[in-house]
Amino acid sequence: MGYRFQFRRYRVPFRIPVRTGHGVWTDREGVLVRLVDEAGSVSFGEAAPVPSFQMESVDEIEAACRQLGPEVDPARLDLVPAGLPCLRNALGAALHPAPLAQGKFRILAALLPAGRPAVTQLKEKVESGFRVFKWKVGVGDLAEELGLLDDVCAALPSDGKLRLDANGAWDRRKAERWLERCAERPVEFVEQPAFVSAHESATQRARTDDLLLGLAQSFPTPIALDESIVGARDLERWLGLGWPGIFVVKPSLLGDIEAALAQLRKRKSDVVFSSALETAVGAQAALRSAFAWEAPTNGPTPTLPRALGFGVWPLFDDASLNGPSLAPYLRSEDVERINPEAAWNALS
């Protein structure tokens, strides 16, 4: 079967810039793809790399889309290089969307901003029913952020959980200070304490790997990998190292998400699904994968999946570019109602 192929590059500002350990992220850039089969059925995907993850560039994605041309078939789409995982993911989502069972729901973790505004927003989101929160740290002064941790924890409800996301901003000393402080607080896990990019030397990468493994084995608060697993090779490497912590999976960034999830399922890995701050197109595809995941069962009592890291909306001023309205939980019906065609049209 052949397809008519279209793509649309976009760049849209976030409603509120995102501050992380990598700096300030002001706008989202990516490429939407659109396939129309011989029967006229339309499907979409989104290639939206995260700049700080050292992935393929949007320029490279656009160039590859131009090379595909206006008429494609599945065999031609399979020839997209493995070095363009976001584009491969977008085409895979358009060709083979993950099935979405009806009647399911998932708890959402609400994203908190860096710094003191986190306390105010946390209180507001508690009133809305949220119980799991993700706070961006590693952005400001170490002592100030450590002092603020108690204020954030004090604002949590009695059954609340806090996730800390350092985006790789800490060295060993800072990471150890944070993990010592977290040990007696309601911190569910600490995400990516340290990170070095693929451009660094093999020696530096090995040292960081050893640091992460050491932290995971030395402190009671679990450690989660995020930036460290931006592709299939990274995932295989960390599984081979016997990573004892959590894997943060951003489905939009993995070229073959089904193969990646199969590996994680085989190892009974602890997984958290997370947004890559993509538009509604990529969000729907990523949420389909998240809803299809069942947490591994290690005993007679089923394990509930961890809260999804998709409590991020609204990201953009145009409502058609956002995922479902922000709420403490998300139903499969909410995912189904996302309208990729509206996002495509909004970016024309």
PDB file of all heavy atoms in Angstrom, residues 156-171:
ATOM      1  N   LEU A 156       2.826  19.536  50.487  1.00  0.00           N
ATOM      2  CA  LEU A 156       2.248  18.293  49.981  1.00  0.00           C
ATOM      3  C   LEU A 156       1.116  17.821  50.885  1.00  0.00           C
ATOM      4  O   LEU A 156       1.172  17.977  52.100  1.00  0.00           O
ATOM      5  CB  LEU A 156       3.310  17.187  49.928  1.00  0.00           C
ATOM      6  CG  LEU A 156       4.398  17.271  48.859  1.00  0.00           C
ATOM      7  CD1 LEU A 156       5.459  16.211  49.134  1.00  0.00           C
ATOM      8  CD2 LEU A 156       3.814  17.078  47.459  1.00  0.00           C
ATOM      9  N   PRO A 157       0.093  17.185  50.317  1.00  0.00           N
ATOM     10  CA  PRO A 157      -0.907  16.523  51.160  1.00  0.00           C
ATOM     11  C   PRO A 157      -0.296  15.298  51.822  1.00  0.00           C
ATOM     12  O   PRO A 157       0.797  14.853  51.450  1.00  0.00           O
ATOM     13  CB  PRO A 157      -2.000  16.138  50.158  1.00  0.00           C
ATOM     14  CG  PRO A 157      -1.286  16.015  48.856  1.00  0.00           C
ATOM     15  CD  PRO A 157      -0.191  17.045  48.877  1.00  0.00           C
ATOM     16  N   SER A 158      -0.984  14.740  52.790  1.00  0.00           N
ATOM     17  CA  SER A 158      -0.426  13.615  53.547  1.00  0.00           C
ATOM     18  C   SER A 158      -0.120  12.415  52.668  1.00  0.00           C
ATOM     19  O   SER A 158       0.782  11.625  52.971  1.00  0.00           O
ATOM     20  CB  SER A 158      -1.388  13.210  54.666  1.00  0.00           C
ATOM     21  OG  SER A 158      -2.656  12.835  54.123  1.00  0.00           O
ATOM     22  N   ASP A 159      -0.866  12.249  51.573  1.00  0.00           N
ATOM     23  CA  ASP A 159      -0.631  11.124  50.665  1.00  0.00           C
ATOM     24  C   ASP A 159       0.111  11.557  49.406  1.00  0.00           C
ATOM     25  O   ASP A 159       0.112  10.845  48.403  1.00  0.00           O
ATOM     26  CB  ASP A 159      -1.958  10.464  50.275  1.00  0.00           C
ATOM     27  CG  ASP A 159      -2.938  11.446  49.646  1.00  0.00           C
ATOM     28  OD1 ASP A 159      -2.717  12.672  49.743  1.00  0.00           O
ATOM     29  OD2 ASP A 159      -3.929  10.987  49.046  1.00  0.00           O
ATOM     30  N   GLY A 160       0.754  12.729  49.462  1.00  0.00           N
ATOM     31  CA  GLY A 160       1.424  13.259  48.281  1.00  0.00           C
ATOM     32  C   GLY A 160       2.810  12.682  48.065  1.00  0.00           C
ATOM     33  O   GLY A 160       3.465  12.204  48.989  1.00  0.00           O
ATOM     34  N   LYS A 161       3.263  12.733  46.813  1.00  0.00           N
ATOM     35  CA  LYS A 161       4.604  12.293  46.436  1.00  0.00           C
ATOM     36  C   LYS A 161       5.263  13.375  45.592  1.00  0.00           C
ATOM     37  O   LYS A 161       4.615  14.031  44.785  1.00  0.00           O
ATOM     38  CB  LYS A 161       4.551  10.985  45.635  1.00  0.00           C
ATOM     39  CG  LYS A 161       4.018   9.785  46.395  1.00  0.00           C
ATOM     40  CD  LYS A 161       4.001   8.558  45.493  1.00  0.00           C
ATOM     41  CE  LYS A 161       3.446   7.344  46.226  1.00  0.00           C
ATOM     42  NZ  LYS A 161       3.396   6.145  45.338  1.00  0.00           N
ATOM     43  N   LEU A 162       6.572  13.518  45.781  1.00  0.00           N
ATOM     44  CA  LEU A 162       7.336  14.521  45.055  1.00  0.00           C
ATOM     45  C   LEU A 162       8.446  13.852  44.259  1.00  0.00           C
ATOM     46  O   LEU A 162       9.183  13.023  44.793  1.00  0.00           O
ATOM     47  CB  LEU A 162       7.938  15.530  46.041  1.00  0.00           C
ATOM     48  CG  LEU A 162       8.762  16.663  45.445  1.00  0.00           C
ATOM     49  CD1 LEU A 162       7.884  17.587  44.595  1.00  0.00           C
ATOM     50  CD2 LEU A 162       9.452  17.457  46.556  1.00  0.00           C
ATOM     51  N   ARG A 163       8.536  14.234  42.996  1.00  0.00           N
ATOM     52  CA  ARG A 163       9.645  13.797  42.150  1.00  0.00           C
ATOM     53  C   ARG A 163      10.561  15.001  41.917  1.00  0.00           C
ATOM     54  O   ARG A 163      10.084  16.101  41.646  1.00  0.00           O
ATOM     55  CB  ARG A 163       9.136  13.286  40.803  1.00  0.00           C
ATOM     56  CG  ARG A 163       8.184  12.113  40.922  1.00  0.00           C
ATOM     57  CD  ARG A 163       7.528  11.775  39.584  1.00  0.00           C
ATOM     58  NE  ARG A 163       6.689  10.588  39.702  1.00  0.00           N
ATOM     59  CZ  ARG A 163       5.975  10.073  38.691  1.00  0.00           C
ATOM     60  NH1 ARG A 163       5.986  10.665  37.495  1.00  0.00           N
ATOM     61  NH2 ARG A 163       5.258   8.975  38.887  1.00  0.00           N
ATOM     62  N   LEU A 164      11.856  14.780  41.990  1.00  0.00           N
ATOM     63  CA  LEU A 164      12.820  15.844  41.721  1.00  0.00           C
ATOM     64  C   LEU A 164      13.514  15.557  40.398  1.00  0.00           C
ATOM     65  O   LEU A 164      13.990  14.447  40.179  1.00  0.00           O
ATOM     66  CB  LEU A 164      13.867  15.922  42.842  1.00  0.00           C
ATOM     67  CG  LEU A 164      13.347  16.132  44.264  1.00  0.00           C
ATOM     68  CD1 LEU A 164      14.517  16.237  45.231  1.00  0.00           C
ATOM     69  CD2 LEU A 164      12.478  17.368  44.349  1.00  0.00           C
ATOM     70  N   ASP A 165      13.577  16.562  39.540  1.00  0.00           N
ATOM     71  CA  ASP A 165      14.222  16.391  38.233  1.00  0.00           C
ATOM     72  C   ASP A 165      15.374  17.375  38.127  1.00  0.00           C
ATOM     73  O   ASP A 165      15.181  18.583  37.989  1.00  0.00           O
ATOM     74  CB  ASP A 165      13.207  16.637  37.110  1.00  0.00           C
ATOM     75  CG  ASP A 165      13.796  16.350  35.730  1.00  0.00           C
ATOM     76  OD1 ASP A 165      14.953  15.894  35.666  1.00  0.00           O
ATOM     77  OD2 ASP A 165      13.094  16.576  34.729  1.00  0.00           O
ATOM     78  N   ALA A 166      16.598  16.845  38.183  1.00  0.00           N
ATOM     79  CA  ALA A 166      17.795  17.686  38.136  1.00  0.00           C
ATOM     80  C   ALA A 166      18.293  17.915  36.722  1.00  0.00           C
ATOM     81  O   ALA A 166      19.182  18.752  36.510  1.00  0.00           O
ATOM     82  CB  ALA A 166      18.909  17.048  38.970  1.00  0.00           C
ATOM     83  N   ASN A 167      17.773  17.177  35.743  1.00  0.00           N
ATOM     84  CA  ASN A 167      18.212  17.324  34.343  1.00  0.00           C
ATOM     85  C   ASN A 167      19.729  17.263  34.209  1.00  0.00           C
ATOM     86  O   ASN A 167      20.338  17.979  33.407  1.00  0.00           O
ATOM     87  CB  ASN A 167      17.695  18.618  33.732  1.00  0.00           C
ATOM     88  CG  ASN A 167      16.200  18.595  33.487  1.00  0.00           C
ATOM     89  OD1 ASN A 167      15.458  19.377  34.082  1.00  0.00           O
ATOM     90  ND2 ASN A 167      15.718  17.693  32.631  1.00  0.00           N
ATOM     91  N   GLY A 168      20.362  16.423  35.048  1.00  0.00           N
ATOM     92  CA  GLY A 168      21.806  16.203  34.931  1.00  0.00           C
ATOM     93  C   GLY A 168      22.675  17.331  35.438  1.00  0.00           C
ATOM     94  O   GLY A 168      23.864  17.392  35.103  1.00  0.00           O
ATOM     95  N   ALA A 169      22.131  18.220  36.284  1.00  0.00           N
ATOM     96  CA  ALA A 169      22.848  19.442  36.657  1.00  0.00           C
ATOM     97  C   ALA A 169      23.850  19.269  37.793  1.00  0.00           C
ATOM     98  O   ALA A 169      24.640  20.177  38.053  1.00  0.00           O
ATOM     99  CB  ALA A 169      21.843  20.528  37.044  1.00  0.00           C
ATOM    100  N   TRP A 170      23.846  18.130  38.491  1.00  0.00           N
ATOM    101  CA  TRP A 170      24.655  18.014  39.695  1.00  0.00           C
ATOM    102  C   TRP A 170      25.955  17.254  39.452  1.00  0.00           C
ATOM    103  O   TRP A 170      26.029  16.354  38.598  1.00  0.00           O
ATOM    104  CB  TRP A 170      23.875  17.270  40.789  1.00  0.00           C
ATOM    105  CG  TRP A 170      22.621  17.939  41.221  1.00  0.00           C
ATOM    106  CD1 TRP A 170      22.337  19.271  41.186  1.00  0.00           C
ATOM    107  CD2 TRP A 170      21.464  17.294  41.768  1.00  0.00           C
ATOM    108  NE1 TRP A 170      21.087  19.503  41.680  1.00  0.00           N
ATOM    109  CE2 TRP A 170      20.520  18.311  42.049  1.00  0.00           C
ATOM    110  CE3 TRP A 170      21.134  15.978  42.064  1.00  0.00           C
ATOM    111  CZ2 TRP A 170      19.259  18.037  42.588  1.00  0.00           C
ATOM    112  CZ3 TRP A 170      19.889  15.696  42.606  1.00  0.00           C
ATOM    113  CH2 TRP A 170      18.969  16.716  42.871  1.00  0.00           C
ATOM    114  N   ASP A 171      26.956  17.578  40.255  1.00  0.00           N
ATOM    115  CA  ASP A 171      28.146  16.743  40.352  1.00  0.00           C
ATOM    116  C   ASP A 171      27.940  15.800  41.540  1.00  0.00           C
ATOM    117  O   ASP A 171      26.881  15.787  42.180  1.00  0.00           O
ATOM    118  CB  ASP A 171      29.408  17.586  40.495  1.00  0.00           C
ATOM    119  CG  ASP A 171      29.363  18.539  41.693  1.00  0.00           C
ATOM    120  OD1 ASP A 171      28.554  18.309  42.631  1.00  0.00           O
ATOM    121  OD2 ASP A 171      30.123  19.520  41.708  1.00  0.00           O
TER     122      ASP A 171
END
